[in-house]
Amino acid sequence: MSALALAAVALTPVAASASMEPTPAPTVDTPVDAEGIGGLSVETVQYGPHKRQSMDVWWTPDGQQRPGIFLIHGGWWSSGDKKYMKEITRGYAELGYTVFNLNYRLSGEAAWPAQRTDALTAIATARKHADRYAFDPNNYVLVGFSAGGHIAAAVGTYGDGIGGLKGVVGLSPIISPLRAYADGEKTTDANKRRLRSAAIKLAGGCPPKGKCSRVWASMEVAWHASRKDAPMLTIHSENEFVPPVQSELLKQMLGQVGVQVSVFTQPGTNHSSPLYREPGVAERVQAWIASRIG
């Protein structure tokens, strides 16, 4: 089963201060063009001290500034890895983008908002070293799968806009962990029950009421809508366990402040990466990205 992605935007003191930490210089773990893939160069960069705070960067070293794509994998916030995004990363790099394929701290290693903080720090690191990666720091999008879709959407509604961010794409994004918590309470659907447990773990191990209430509020993407947030495209299967109604809530809230959200549904139950591989879905995503950043 593909990974799940949830990310919500919170303006708690912890989240705000974490995102403002100094941006570390990148540490190169992989030599340039390690795989001999023609005109592309590849590096693995540490954007923080934790082993999971790393990203693979794919770029064309031709001196041009290119639009950027940040990819965020799914996995119930507790598993998954950027290595499973390799072919999608390569595909976007071959289309001419500079691509940043992120890992982030998992929920068993750090509770929310660590995952959003990691994404923000990775973006800040990439923008700081934009010249090295032939990257236009003022022209990029985020693409997240499942739980990665939650993280991407949470970045998209963080504060009152993120510099240079022109759009967010979510494949089966978990927009509302609170909705997932409620949906998983009495259902016989094993995935919905698992998602409920995953959301509790992400919040630090406790339910929405009481000491974790502020963390749960932070995780709710739609609650943080503001007029300078990034436009979004979300895609769900009609009958998957992360229902399209989650994105419809986001569309309503962002629409009230004038930010466009496009929600598309596909027949069936496919979730996350299998949904992306359905005929026409990747092409729709690519066309939307091109309309945002070229």
Side-chain angles (χ1 to χ4, degrees):
M1 171 58 62
S2 293
L4 275 148
L6 297 133
V9 178
L11 299 179
T12 62
V14 172
S17 61
S19 68
M20 298 302 293
E21 291 175 357
T23 304
T27 301
V28 177
D29 291 337
T30 304
V32 172
D33 204 20
E35 300 181 359
I37 49 179
L40 294 176
S41 292
V42 183
E43 288 183 359
T44 297
V45 175
Q46 288 293 133
Y47 62 82
H50 193 278
K51 63 181 180 180
R52 292 282 307 182
Q53 292 173 314
S54 69
M55 58 184 172
D56 297 335
V57 186
W58 296 54
W59 81 99
T60 304
D62 58 2
Q64 299 184 42
Q65 275 197 328
R66 295 171 177 268
I69 297 178
F70 290 80
L71 297 176
I72 308 179
H73 71 79
W76 312 88
W77 299 289
S78 62
S79 61
D81 192 272
K82 58 184 172 60
K83 66 184 178 182
Y84 300 119
M85 304 295 294
K86 183 175 180 180
E87 292 308 312
I88 295 175
T89 302
R90 182 194 299 272
Y92 281 109
E94 290 176 346
L95 288 174
Y97 299 101
T98 294
V99 187
F100 303 88
N101 181 18
L102 275 60
N103 267 349
Y104 50 88
R105 286 171 291 173
L106 302 175
S107 58
E109 299 160 336
W112 186 264
Q115 296 71 29
R116 184 187 62 206
T117 298
D118 284 356
L120 288 166
T121 304
I123 292 168
T125 301
R127 298 184 75 205
K128 181 177 181 180
H129 302 281
D131 288 346
R132 174 174 180 82
Y133 302 121
F135 166 49
D136 181 351
N138 296 311
N139 194 28
Y140 61 92
V141 298
L142 310 182
V143 181
F145 293 73
S146 189
H150 171 250
I151 298 168
V155 170
T157 59
Y158 183 77
D160 191 20
I162 302 297
L165 178 59
K166 299 301 177 64
V168 174
V169 178
L171 281 302
S172 304
I174 299 118
I175 298 299
S176 174
L178 282 173
R179 175 65 183 258
Y181 176 86
D183 287 350
E185 183 175 8
K186 297 181 180 179
T187 182
T188 58
D189 186 317
N191 285 320
K192 288 185 177 182
R193 293 199 305 271
R194 183 178 178 184
L195 183 55
R196 173 186 166 95
S197 297
I200 294 171
K201 185 175 182 179
L202 180 67
C206 51
K209 294 182 180 181
K211 66 177 183 179
C212 288
S213 59
R214 289 189 65 196
V215 177
W216 281 86
S218 170
M219 286 158 47
E220 287 295 295
V221 175
W223 290 7
H224 303 277
S226 57
R227 63 184 181 87
K228 292 185 180 180
D229 290 341
M232 299 194 193
L233 166 68
T234 68
I235 303 177
H236 297 261
S237 292
E238 291 177 352
N239 298 308
E240 66 164 297
F241 62 97
V242 181
V245 67
Q246 291 211 10
S247 288
E248 292 293 346
L249 172 63
L250 180 65
K251 182 176 181 178
Q252 176 186 354
M253 297 297 289
L254 280 174
Q256 290 177 2
V257 294
V259 178
Q260 183 179 12
V261 177
S262 300
V263 181
F264 289 93
T265 59
Q266 290 283 110
T269 61
N270 277 339
H271 172 79
S272 191
S273 296
L275 171 60
Y276 183 77
R277 291 193 293 268
E278 287 189 8
V281 173
E283 291 79 6
R284 182 184 293 277
V285 171
Q286 291 164 9
W288 190 88
I289 290 173
S291 74
R292 298 301 309 166
I293 61 175

